[in-house]
Amino acid sequence: MHKLATILILAWVGFFLAACGGLVKGDNRQNQPLNSGLVSAIKAIGSTPGEGMVVRLFKEESVVEVWKRSTAGQYRLLKTYQICAFSGGLGPKVKEGDRQSPEGFYTITPGLMNPKSNYYLAFNTGFPNKFDRSWGRTGSDLMMHGDCSSRGCYAMTDEGIAEIYVLARESFKGGNPSFQLQLFPFRMTAANLAAHASDPNMPFWKDIKEGYDLFELNKAPPTWDVCERQYIFNATTGGPLDAMGACPVVTASAALLAKQAADEAAVANHIQSAEQQAASEAAIKARGAAVTGAVGGIFGGIGSMFGGQPDVAPVITGQPAPVPMPPLVRS
């Protein structure tokens, strides 16, 4: 009888925990199917689940984009997701413990996917990559994950990371060995570059901007490598480059050169306009201060002439003076 009671109690506890999610047998979250909305969206852009993909992230806008290669060969934007949180501010990660999220170009392989993450689902960004290592940068387990909470990583909702994870899984199944992860401080527009022109990270941002521009122009992920401790894009070489060695000669396309020149001119115009606006506002403020001082001096002088109190400001309403009341007669 005692044994039967024990079995019944254990059965009841097991049922209770399972109902609350305490016991999840064979958790299969990484194998959930593509939802019907994504299937339709993929078809609408002329792609298939097994085609290649690119993930682009913009810190300042808190946005993640997923692009899929169409059957025509070019990549098209599939879906945009909001980032819940990321650690640190704009700029690359430098060392372990700085609580900064990385920036740059990274290659995500199946081995970097984490189906058993404590943050629902996740994949490792691959930091430090070849560029980071050439600068002696350190850090580990820099992830893009769910749970909407960041401790040095990029955090998304569980629903958002689940969709990206499943899209990556299907892309790998389609025969793609990796997908490219592009991490930017902001959209590399002339206005944004001008707004951050004095930031010490600008040389680095100009370096990765070339990769940004190439994707914008060609709608395909550029190949990247590292030489002279900087990124180099679409270099045609026989093998990997020496990260510390000399860079090979790369002939930029006319379209890229034209875009870079136009952007540089636009950045200069933005900076000039901002400086002119600042100068104009400063001049207006200075004139206002001068007028206020002059008016104060005039009324101060009037007060002195009539023995008034100089520290009491006169009140001018522009209204007619009120008619005096008759004297009060007390009875």
Side-chain angles (χ1 to χ4, degrees), residues 143-210:
M143 315 290 285
M144 184 177 290
H145 59 67
D147 199 43
C148 221
S149 174
S150 176
R151 296 170 183 81
C153 303
Y154 291 105
M156 305 182 65
T157 63
D158 290 351
E159 294 79 8
I161 194 63
E163 287 192 356
I164 296 174
Y165 192 100
V166 171
L167 286 166
R169 182 197 70 204
E170 295 302 307
S171 181
F172 294 144
K173 282 185 179 180
N176 299 285
S178 64
F179 68 87
Q180 191 171 97
L181 175 64
Q182 304 175 1
L183 304 175
F184 297 104
F186 40 73
R187 296 190 187 279
M188 310 297 274
T189 63
N192 285 339
L193 290 165
H196 299 283
S198 61
D199 194 291
N201 291 302
M202 187 53 66
F204 167 69
W205 290 340
K206 286 185 176 181
D207 186 15
I208 61 175
K209 180 181 180 293
E210 182 172 332

Side-chain angles (χ1 to χ4, degrees), residues 9 52 113 156 197 217 225 232 238 258 273 276 279 300:
I9 291 171
M113 308 299 288
M156 305 182 65
L217 289 170
D225 205 335
I232 185 171
S273 296
Q276 290 174 344

Side-chain angles (χ1 to χ4, degrees), residues 169-297:
R169 182 197 70 204
E170 295 302 307
S171 181
F172 294 144
K173 282 185 179 180
N176 299 285
S178 64
F179 68 87
Q180 191 171 97
L181 175 64
Q182 304 175 1
L183 304 175
F184 297 104
F186 40 73
R187 296 190 187 279
M188 310 297 274
T189 63
N192 285 339
L193 290 165
H196 299 283
S198 61
D199 194 291
N201 291 302
M202 187 53 66
F204 167 69
W205 290 340
K206 286 185 176 181
D207 186 15
I208 61 175
K209 180 181 180 293
E210 182 172 332
Y212 175 95
D213 290 342
L214 286 167
F215 186 85
E216 291 289 306
L217 289 170
N218 302 326
K219 293 300 183 288
T223 60
W224 65 269
D225 205 335
V226 181
C227 53
E228 298 178 17
R229 296 204 302 176
Q230 63 184 6
Y231 282 99
I232 185 171
F233 298 97
N234 291 348
T236 54
T237 59
L241 299 173
D242 180 355
M244 310 296 286
C247 288
V249 176
V250 175
T251 303
S253 68
L256 177 62
L257 292 174
K259 186 179 188 312
Q260 290 174 335
D263 286 348
E264 288 175 6
V267 168
N269 287 335
H270 278 291
I271 293 174
Q272 184 179 28
S273 296
E275 290 174 346
Q276 290 174 344
Q277 179 68 20
S280 176
E281 291 174 355
I284 292 172
K285 185 176 181 180
R287 285 198 296 271
V291 170
T292 301
V295 171

Side-chain angles (χ1 to χ4, degrees), residues 92-105:
K93 184 173 183 62
V94 175
K95 62 181 179 180
E96 184 87 57
D98 63 4
R99 300 186 67 82
Q100 185 76 357
S101 301
E103 294 174 6
F105 283 72

